[in-house]
Amino acid sequence: MSKKALIIGIAGQDGAYLAKHLLAKGYEVTGSSRDVMASSFSNLNALGIREKVKLMSVSINDFRSVFNAIQIFNPDEIYNLAGQTSVGLSFDQPVEAIESIAIGTLNILEVIRLLNKPVRFYNAGSSECFGDTGSLPANEKTLFAPRSPYAVAKSTAKWLINSYRESYGIYACTGILFNHESPLRPERFVTQKIIAGAAKIKARQLKMLQLGNLDIARDWGWAPDYVEAMWLMMQQDKPDDFVIATGRMESLKYFAAKAFEYFDLDWQAHVEIESSFFRPNEILCSVGDPSKAIKILNWKHPNDVDSVIQMMCETQAKKYLN
């Protein structure tokens, strides 16, 4: 019999790519969003899998909603990708960040504990938990130093996972993922904003692009590579936590320069720095060490920041220039 997977938060970038990956593995996939009737599921449509998954409404903040979903579907694996996804938004809506990430994770863990079924649980962690790594790549032993409500919530969720794993023997793990991008990113994410902006300028639909701090540096990977790591974590004999990254860090200035170069444009002629886009308590450097995942999971990341930019630019070029 095929395995059954429940993806909580299937509408986003990672949820869509994970659903595609699991379907290719022969899984029966059910996905949830806060309100199925109000969601377009554009990412599932973009990947051509909208009709291949079952969908249900689940409010991760509501224990009863989570309980009913898990009891009814009875999954073998649960992937929690739900909750607030924006670091910047978490400064404006910190309560929502804590409730949707930390309390949501706690609700899932409590349901698993109460139902007492051999379900495996993956929790989406974040590199934001480490704060500023400097030039030294963070690994699984690096101490957390969260700088935003989002990072505090993700850190709380990670320690809840560890607590339930050790106290109740639940198969629960956290993937501490560094930045990972794809054409499915909405333009509220700065990487897609840059690439779409460059394409629009090339197409004469935009004159200037406003950006914030270009000196920040990140470890950027390819989202489809990272969802494979999620699945690999769930196939191990014992649950554990893993850093998922490329080990290479580049500045946002580098990202912008490469994106504009793809469209034969000079980024400095088309970018304005807008101070209102600067975040409070910004992380300047963030890079990860994926050695443990490479060794234990046999995980591979064939794509680095250059190929990520290339593939995202190709998609935007088709949208605006063809």
Side-chain angles (χ1 to χ4, degrees), residues 134-145:
S135 60
L136 185 65
N139 59 34
E140 293 78 7
K141 296 181 180 180
T142 302
L143 295 178
F144 282 179

Side-chain angles (χ1 to χ4, degrees), residues 2-5 7 10 15-16 18-31 41 43-56 73:
S2 62
K3 287 185 179 180
K4 297 168 67 177
I7 302 174
I10 198 172
L18 178 60
K20 182 177 180 180
H21 187 76
L22 295 178
L23 288 169
K25 295 287 184 183
Y27 279 68
E28 179 185 343
V29 178
T30 292
F41 297 106
N43 288 334
L44 298 180
N45 289 326
L47 297 182
I49 59 173
R50 170 66 177 79
E51 303 304 322
K52 298 178 181 179
V53 301
K54 298 178 183 177
L55 297 167
M56 64 170 65
F73 184 59

Side-chain angles (χ1 to χ4, degrees), residues 57-69:
S57 297
V58 176
S59 175
I60 197 170
N61 299 353
D62 182 351
F63 177 82
R64 181 167 294 184
S65 177
V66 175
F67 185 93
N68 289 339

Side-chain angles (χ1 to χ4, degrees), residues 17 181-184 191-192 195 220-225 255 258-259 262-263 301-319:
Y17 280 119
E181 313 300 324
S182 80
L184 298 186
T191 49
Q192 189 71 290
I195 290 170
W220 279 293
W222 182 238
D225 294 341
F255 196 103
K258 283 289 186 179
Y262 177 90
F263 294 101
H301 53 92
N303 300 291
D304 65 3
V305 62
D306 292 326
S307 54
V308 168
I309 294 170
Q310 173 81 17
M311 289 184 283
M312 291 178 71
C313 285
E314 288 171 354
T315 300
Q316 292 297 336
K318 291 176 183 177
K319 181 177 180 180

Side-chain angles (χ1 to χ4, degrees), residues 62-277:
D62 182 351
F63 177 82
R64 181 167 294 184
S65 177
V66 175
F67 185 93
N68 289 339
I70 295 175
Q71 186 179 48
I72 291 170
F73 184 59
N74 192 29
D76 300 293
E77 297 175 2
I78 299 172
Y79 296 83
N80 178 27
L81 311 180
Q84 194 180 83
T85 59
S86 170
V87 174
L89 182 61
S90 75
F91 285 103
D92 297 324
Q93 299 178 6
V95 175
E96 201 274 337
I98 297 296
E99 289 181 346
S100 65
I101 296 171
I103 301 302
T105 302
L106 179 59
N107 283 337
I108 297 170
L109 287 166
E110 269 294 275
V111 169
I112 293 172
R113 183 180 71 86
L114 292 172
L115 290 177
N116 195 28
K117 293 181 179 179
V119 61
R120 296 188 171 196
F121 177 35
Y122 169 85
N123 178 60
S126 172
S127 60
E128 291 285 330
C129 297
F130 294 122
D132 200 314
T133 67
S135 60
L136 185 65
N139 59 34
E140 293 78 7
K141 296 181 180 180
T142 302
L143 295 178
F144 282 179
R147 288 191 174 186
S148 66
Y150 171 87
V152 169
K154 285 290 187 181
S155 299
T156 303
K158 195 269 186 187
W159 289 118
L160 283 168
I161 291 288
N162 287 31
S163 177
Y164 272 70
R165 185 168 67 208
E166 295 166 5
S167 301
Y168 305 112
I170 292 173
Y171 192 110
C173 56
T174 298
I176 308 173
L177 273 58
F178 279 70
N179 295 60
H180 48 289
E181 313 300 324
S182 80
L184 298 186
R185 274 293 195 211
E187 288 187 29
R188 69 174 182 271
F189 286 83
V190 69
T191 49
Q192 189 71 290
K193 179 181 179 180
I194 289 171
I195 290 170
K200 291 174 186 176
I201 291 170
K202 184 67 174 180
R204 301 181 184 278
Q205 295 183 21
L206 184 70
K207 290 186 177 180
M208 297 294 292
L209 179 65
Q210 292 187 329
L211 296 172
N213 188 355
L214 296 184
D215 291 327
I216 65 168
R218 296 290 185 268
D219 183 331
W220 279 293
W222 182 238
D225 294 341
Y226 284 39
V227 299
E228 182 183 17
M230 298 177 190
W231 177 77
L232 287 170
M233 288 180 217
M234 298 281 267
Q235 313 313 309
Q236 304 306 301
D237 292 334
K238 295 181 180 180
D240 202 354
D241 305 323
F242 293 88
V243 164
I244 305 300
T246 70
R248 176 183 173 185
M249 180 172 61
E250 296 291 353
S251 70
L252 197 61
K253 186 180 296 183
Y254 177 92
F255 196 103
K258 283 289 186 179
F260 275 80
E261 181 182 302
Y262 177 90
F263 294 101
D264 297 318
L265 297 169
D266 177 5
W267 72 271
Q268 296 182 81
H270 300 284
V271 171
E272 295 176 337
I273 303 302
E274 173 52 59
S275 60
S276 65
F277 291 154

